[in-house]
Amino acid sequence: MPDPVRRLCIITADDFGLHAAVNEAVESAHRAGVLTAASLMVGAPAAQDAARRALELPNLRVGLHLTLADGRALLPRRQIPDLVDADNRFHDNMVGAGWRFFASPSVRAQLAAEIRAQFAAFAALGLKLDHLDAHKHFHLHPTVLSLALRIGTEFGLRAVRIPAEPGLTATRLLSPWLALMRRRARRAGMACNDQIYGLAHSGAMDEARLLRILASLPPGVSEIYLHPATLSGRAIATSMPNYRHRDELQALLSAAVRGALEAAAIRLGGYGDIAAFRTAAAP
């Protein structure tokens, strides 16, 4: 019989708060499906609705989905003029933004202010902070990560997502950055996942893909992240024209997926369960 102590799986919905259809899916997938966690965009249009739902779901683990690209800033443009355009949206060129984070002290100060504002907004919602990740995984950037760890600690942050998917070419290419990220997170006392799934098929994590992942889930802490919603594609966001949000919701509600988890004795939980899991799994 499989050993349940050897595998912890965190099943997360990203972009919580982006749209009411996302929030509806998160609630449904948690109540009736296998979803255990969600990552909240505090500056998104439906963030307040997301928080209201989360407060009624005490077992849903909610983290901050730090947004520094493809979204609106919390702070007004006059406070962060180098981070946003005239509509207070973050610049689309993440490479250019990343170089400015490295090169300019004034830009870093603006970045720190926006990160602090997002942590403060999360705290004001009355939710327990389970973890940190970032929209488009922008916390891979060393400056973003350093600021997020330092500021997040002040708000009770204790866990960080490491976006490393086994077998993925991007993971191999980014291995030095990922190793640095893991070292920095651990030095800051953060719990981390061992591997993640969802990068390779972002927006297309349907039932078949989820079942394949679960069939070969390795020992340790795995996070599987999805983008469920009751609508799909551009109806959720113009930047997601090909995302199959509804198929991802159906995967989370699938009886076959639940059966696979139970048959393999895979433990479900959130980032807050990692410390206890590692203690129990220790030889």
Side-chain angles (χ1 to χ4, degrees):
M1 182 176 178
D3 182 357
V5 173
R6 296 182 65 239
R7 290 185 290 181
L8 171 66
C9 187
I10 303 165
I11 303 181
T12 307
D14 276 9
D15 300 343
F16 194 29
L18 180 61
H19 192 285
V22 175
N23 299 348
E24 291 167 4
V26 168
E27 181 172 357
S28 176
H30 179 68
R31 290 188 185 277
V34 297
L35 187 75
T36 60
S39 295
L40 176 61
M41 307 172 83
V42 292
Q48 292 294 327
D49 175 68
R52 177 188 61 77
R53 292 173 189 266
L55 289 169
E56 296 174 358
L57 301 169
N59 293 321
L60 179 69
R61 316 302 173 80
V62 183
L64 174 62
H65 198 48
L66 185 66
T67 303
L68 300 167
D70 188 31
R72 291 186 180 277
L74 275 186
L75 294 178
R77 187 169 186 265
R78 66 178 181 276
Q79 294 184 35
I80 50 170
D82 296 307
L83 302 185
V84 296
D85 62 19
D87 294 323
N88 218 50
R89 291 187 62 85
F90 294 107
H91 298 300
D92 291 336
N93 186 344
M94 292 174 63
V95 174
W99 280 114
R100 290 195 298 276
F101 297 165
F102 274 130
S104 171
S106 65
V107 172
R108 286 196 298 276
Q110 294 172 44
L111 179 64
E114 176 64 24
I115 290 172
R116 181 175 295 280
Q118 292 190 30
F119 272 108
F122 187 101
L125 295 171
L127 298 169
K128 183 178 180 180
L129 180 61
D130 181 69
H131 61 275
L132 171 79
D133 50 49
H135 194 47
K136 296 185 177 293
H137 309 293
F138 214 171
H139 64 314
L140 263 167
H141 191 291
T143 302
V144 174
L145 180 66
S146 294
L147 291 172
L149 291 176
R150 176 173 59 80
I151 296 168
T153 300
E154 300 173 25
F155 289 89
L157 180 66
R158 294 292 180 268
V160 175
R161 171 191 286 175
I162 306 296
E165 182 162 343
L168 194 64
T169 299
T171 295
R172 292 195 295 271
L173 292 174
L174 291 171
S175 58
W177 298 92
L178 290 163
L180 176 63
M181 184 181 198
R182 196 179 295 277
R183 287 196 302 271
R184 287 187 172 181
R186 286 177 172 167
R187 279 203 303 267
M190 300 292 157
C192 303
N193 55 308
D194 295 310
Q195 53 269 328
I196 199 167
Y197 298 89
L199 285 166
H201 302 290
S202 187
M205 292 285 286
D206 57 17
E207 181 189 71
R209 286 203 168 100
L210 202 48
L211 288 170
R212 283 198 293 271
I213 291 167
L214 294 174
S216 58
L217 200 71
V221 179
S222 299
E223 183 183 9
I224 303 174
Y225 78 95
L226 302 93
H227 298 86
T230 56
L231 301 172
S232 285
R234 291 187 184 276
I236 301 300
T238 56
S239 60
M240 301 175 176
N242 299 315
Y243 272 45
R244 294 159 45 201
H245 295 86
R246 283 181 292 189
D247 289 346
E248 298 202 0
L249 171 58
Q250 291 307 308
L252 292 168
L253 295 171
S254 164
V257 168
R258 182 179 290 280
L261 285 161
E262 292 173 354
I266 296 170
R267 178 181 171 184
L268 293 176
Y271 275 85
D273 297 308
I274 291 178
F277 166 79
R278 295 205 191 281
T279 298

